[in-house]
């Protein structure tokens, strides 16, 4: 007769602790030797790396006057990486690691306040590390550095917890300082303190003194937010507008698509498993007292509110929430609230043993799929890096010297591989090409030719005289237009006016 050995959960605590570490190692350990530069990395890290310390400082101040925190981070990294790509990738992975540690501390505090220590914080942190729709800030070097605003925001939340419970003014001061620093680093967590305050009010609703402290923090945060917005608009004018369709669309439509986008044709299976997990979490709520069930409903509402607010800064800046490529960084703030929601669901599952097993199987399945999907998509980031090097190898000073003064060169090449940008903007391809001394040192043109990628999603129209409409409403002055195919090595001049045609689409 076979006897089953029942292991108590507290005896497995070290396994729970190590799961996030194992997941991080699986997804990050090999990256310094596998990944490289993508998109803005060329202009943010490579070109500044060739500057003198004085030039680099002036560049950082002028380019990031409205984001001094990120400017300081880029400035520091440009000194540290010294042109070594493995070092750069290692540094940016460190940002992810620090973010995961602070997120875990926040989730663990929430879990304790929920009154049920069930290691849900460890599992939720693991899911956050593995999210395949987050590679825009966990793989892309430029995007990973923006995690500094997340690190500072999480530090703000931790200090707020301490202030609410202890009432010491220095906790409040630290909380506001971290929040202000986050705002001055990157705008992803603008207004983020509002749903955090709502969640805190629910967590501490039984203590009037705690509620008063939360309101003090909320008031202080609001004043800081207004001040930072005014300062930012004065230092660097921005195109900001309220588009109700985009605000609602990003939250209700684009976000679900972005989350399911990395799974390709398998997205219905993932959607079903997600629904199963949420179903058993909701089913567990039926087995607790009415008062506690109402509180958990408020937790769910606070999390959904947090997710909605997290899409707002990007919507106001006219960004569409995406799940692939560099623009998947738009999910940065959203993913924090998804992790909190997972923590709440797992804590709820713990209260009902029959639902707990099925819910845990569902979340375990999702984590495994997330890791596999992330690993699959990281290959596309690698392929993009390899293709960039092949394209750059095809460029030479001799080729560019054939472009007459004032001429514009269009790169006859796809801009993406598997949703990941290769060369997708003039500043990335030009920064990459003109970072090569063997090219810049042998150019005879007094002015470097402008280089544009070929945009296949919109018509690129040459008027035959002096203007190329690279995108609708984006005219570029040029005396002539040329197209160069890195694959064939052919350079051809566009003689007739009309829509440009690419060889790779024919």
């Amino acid at each position: 007769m076979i006897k089953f050995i029942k292991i108590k959960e507290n005896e497995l605590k070290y396994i729970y602790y190590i799961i996030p570490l194992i997941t991080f190692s699986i997804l990050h350990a090999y990256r310094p030797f596998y990944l490289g530069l993508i998109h803005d990395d060329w202009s943010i890290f490579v070109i500044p790396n060739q500057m003198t310390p004085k030039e680099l400082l002036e560049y950082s101040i002028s380019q990031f006057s409205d984001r001094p925190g990120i400017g300081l981070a880029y400035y520091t990294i440009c000194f540290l990486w010294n042109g070594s790509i493995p070092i750069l990738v290692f540094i940016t992975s460190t940002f992810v690691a620090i973010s995961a540690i602070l997120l875990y501390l926040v989730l663990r505090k929430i879990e304790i306040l929920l009154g049920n220590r069930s290691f849900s914080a460890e599992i939720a942190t693991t899911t956050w590390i593995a999210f395949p729709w987050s590679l825009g800030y966990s793989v892309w070097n430029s995007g990973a550095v923006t995690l500094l605003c997340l690190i500072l925001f999480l530090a703000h939340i931790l200090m707020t917890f301490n202030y609410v419970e202890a009432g010491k003014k220095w906790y409040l001061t630290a909380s506001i300082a971290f929040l202000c620093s986050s705002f001055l680093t990157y705008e992803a967590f603008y207004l983020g303190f509002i749903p955090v305050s709502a969640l805190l009010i629910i967590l501490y609703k039984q203590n009037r003194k705690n509620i008063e402290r939360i309101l003090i923090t909320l008031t202080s945060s609001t004043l800081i937010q207004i001040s930072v917005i005014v300062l930012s608009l004065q230092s660097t004018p921005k195109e900001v507008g309220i588009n109700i369709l985009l605000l609602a669309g990003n939250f209700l439509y684009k976000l679900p698509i972005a989350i399911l986008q990395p799974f390709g044709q398998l997205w219905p299976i993932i959607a079903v498993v997600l629904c199963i997990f949420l179903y058993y979490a909701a089913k567990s709520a039926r087995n607790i007292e009415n008062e506690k069930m109402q509180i958990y409903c408020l937790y769910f509402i606070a999390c959904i509110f947090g997710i909605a607010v997290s899409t707002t800064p990007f919507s106001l800046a006219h960004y569409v929430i995406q799940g692939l490529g560099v623009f998947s960084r738009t999910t940065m703030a959203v993913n924090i609230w998804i992790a909190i929601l997972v923590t709440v669901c797992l804590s709820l599952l713990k209260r009902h043993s029959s639902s707990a097993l099925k819910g845990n199987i569902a979340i375990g399945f999702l984590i495994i799929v997330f890791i596999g999907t992330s690993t699959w998509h990281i290959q596309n980031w690698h392929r993009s890096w390899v293709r960039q090097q092949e394209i750059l190898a095809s460029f030479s000073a001799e080729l560019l010297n054939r472009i007459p003064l004032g001429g514009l060169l269009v790169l006859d090449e796809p801009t993406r591989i598997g949703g990941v940008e290769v060369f997708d903007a003039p500043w990335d391809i030009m920064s990459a090409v003109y970072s090569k001394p063997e090219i810049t040192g042998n150019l005879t043109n007094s002015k470097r030719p402008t280089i544009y990628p070929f945009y296949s999603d919109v018509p690129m129209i040459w008027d035959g005289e002096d203007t190329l409409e690279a995108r609708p409403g984006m005219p570029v002055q040029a005396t002539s237009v040329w197209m160069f195919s890195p694959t064939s090595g052919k350079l051809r001049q566009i003689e007739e006016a009309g829509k440009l045609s690419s060889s790779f689409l024919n």
Side-chain angles (χ1 to χ4, degrees):
M1 184 177 180
I2 300 174
K3 293 184 179 180
F4 292 95
I5 300 174
K6 187 175 182 180
I7 302 176
K8 295 180 180 178
E9 190 169 31
N10 62 352
E11 295 174 354
L12 293 173
K13 63 181 180 180
Y14 295 110
I15 295 178
Y16 282 103
Y17 290 148
I18 207 171
I19 288 175
L21 179 60
I22 292 174
T23 302
F24 181 84
S25 299
I26 291 172
L27 293 174
H28 285 264
Y30 64 95
R31 289 188 187 182
F33 314 102
Y34 192 67
L35 300 176
L37 305 170
I38 300 289
H39 199 42
D40 290 354
D41 291 347
W42 291 101
S43 58
I44 288 176
F45 297 116
V46 177
I47 296 300
N49 190 58
Q50 299 175 346
M51 299 177 180
T52 65
K54 182 181 178 182
E55 290 172 338
L56 179 56
L57 179 61
E58 292 174 350
Y59 171 82
S60 299
I61 293 173
S62 63
Q63 292 295 312
F64 304 102
S65 59
D66 58 332
R67 298 172 178 172
I70 205 74
L72 178 61
Y74 286 143
Y75 177 79
T76 304
I77 292 172
C78 283
F79 276 109
L80 294 176
W81 83 291
N82 198 29
S84 171
I85 290 176
I87 291 177
L88 175 62
V89 177
F90 175 79
I91 290 171
T92 53
S93 283
T94 302
F95 278 88
V96 181
I98 296 172
S99 300
I101 292 170
L102 289 176
L103 175 62
Y104 165 71
L105 294 175
V106 169
L107 297 179
R108 187 178 181 213
K109 183 65 179 177
I110 292 173
E111 183 184 24
I112 291 171
L113 289 170
L114 289 173
N116 188 17
R117 182 74 178 105
S118 58
F119 302 102
S120 58
E122 287 82 356
I123 303 302
T125 302
T126 303
T127 60
W128 180 85
I129 293 171
F131 284 153
W133 57 86
S134 69
L135 302 186
Y137 65 75
S138 66
V139 171
W140 184 36
N141 297 306
S142 299
V145 180
T146 62
L147 283 173
L148 179 58
C149 79
L150 168 60
I151 291 169
L152 293 166
F153 188 75
L154 292 173
H156 153 72
I157 295 176
L158 290 171
M159 288 298 103
T160 302
F161 274 126
N162 290 338
Y163 171 67
V164 171
E165 293 182 351
K168 295 181 179 180
K169 291 184 178 180
W170 79 268
Y171 283 136
L172 175 62
T173 303
S175 170
I176 297 304
F178 281 127
L179 183 66
C180 184
S181 299
S182 177
F183 290 161
L184 292 173
T185 298
Y186 194 64
E187 297 88 348
F189 289 93
Y190 273 23
L191 306 176
F193 61 91
I194 298 175
V196 168
S197 298
L199 182 64
L200 288 173
I201 289 173
I202 300 169
L203 290 169
Y204 291 100
K205 70 182 186 66
Q206 311 239 348
N207 191 309
R208 181 178 177 182
K209 193 67 177 177
N210 289 346
I211 297 298
E212 290 177 358
R213 291 168 184 164
I214 294 170
L215 294 177
I216 290 173
T217 305
L218 176 60
T219 303
S220 303
S221 300
T222 302
L223 293 175
I224 290 295
Q225 178 72 93
I226 294 172
S227 301
V228 169
I229 290 175
V230 172
L231 178 65
S232 177
L233 292 175
Q234 288 180 343
S235 61
T236 306
K238 293 179 174 63
E239 184 182 346
V240 179
I242 298 176
N243 185 326
I244 300 299
L245 289 178
L246 185 58
L247 279 168
N250 263 340
F251 170 56
L252 298 174
Y253 177 65
K254 290 296 184 179
L255 178 58
I257 289 177
I259 289 174
L260 296 173
Q261 192 176 10
F263 304 104
Q265 295 181 348
L266 296 178
W267 73 263
I269 297 175
I270 305 303
V272 168
V273 177
L274 280 169
C275 289
I276 290 173
F277 173 68
L278 293 173
Y279 167 76
Y280 282 110
K283 186 178 179 181
S284 299
R286 296 165 53 188
N287 295 276
I288 60 178
E289 307 88 79
N290 286 336
E291 184 179 354
K292 287 186 177 180
M293 184 173 69
Q294 291 172 3
I295 293 173
Y296 269 100
C297 287
L298 291 176
Y299 291 147
F300 278 107
I301 292 171
C303 290
I304 299 302
F305 177 51
I307 291 172
V309 170
S310 297
T311 64
T312 302
F314 293 102
S315 298
L316 293 176
H318 308 295
Y319 283 96
V320 174
I321 304 297
Q322 298 182 38
L324 294 176
V326 300
F327 286 102
S328 60
R329 72 184 187 275
T330 53
T331 64
M332 182 194 300
V334 166
N335 288 340
I336 297 303
W337 285 101
I338 294 177
I340 294 174
L341 182 60
V342 171
T343 303
V344 173
C345 289
L346 289 172
S347 178
L348 190 56
L349 282 168
K350 180 68 177 177
R351 297 177 179 274
H352 190 231
S353 57
S354 63
S355 296
L357 177 60
K358 297 169 185 176
N360 288 333
I361 290 173
I363 195 67
F365 171 81
L366 288 174
I367 289 173
I368 293 171
V369 173
F370 288 173
I371 294 172
T373 305
S374 292
T375 302
W376 171 264
H377 283 287
I378 287 171
Q379 294 182 48
N380 290 328
W381 292 77
H382 169 72
R383 290 169 59 205
S384 171
W385 169 232
V386 170
R387 185 55 185 156
Q388 287 177 73
Q389 295 175 87
E390 293 170 348
I391 292 171
L392 291 176
S394 69
F395 272 85
S396 65
E398 180 185 2
L399 169 73
L400 294 172
N401 286 333
R402 292 169 61 186
I403 309 296
L405 187 65
L408 184 146
L409 179 64
V410 176
L411 187 63
D412 191 1
E413 175 77 17
T415 58
R416 299 191 179 202
I417 293 177
V420 179
E421 290 77 359
V422 182
F423 287 120
D424 191 49
W427 59 83
D428 59 16
I429 178 61
M430 292 177 67
S431 295
V433 169
Y434 296 128
S435 69
K436 300 175 67 175
E438 61 270 28
I439 290 181
T440 55
N442 294 291
L443 287 177
T444 57
N445 286 345
S446 58
K447 184 178 180 181
R448 298 173 178 177
T450 300
I451 308 173
Y452 262 75
F454 181 84
Y455 296 121
S456 58
D457 58 331
V458 294
M460 298 183 74
I461 301 175
W462 167 237
D463 69 356
E465 297 181 1
D466 59 4
T467 303
L468 171 72
E469 189 174 32
R471 281 188 173 279
M474 186 190 293
V476 184
Q477 297 301 306
T479 58
S480 60
V481 173
W482 303 69
M483 293 191 74
F484 171 63
S485 170
T487 302
S488 65
K490 292 182 179 179
L491 176 69
R492 58 190 172 94
Q493 184 178 2
I494 306 302
E495 302 283 357
E496 298 181 358
K499 177 183 175 181
L500 302 190
S501 61
S502 175
S503 60
F504 68 84
L505 291 178
N506 296 332

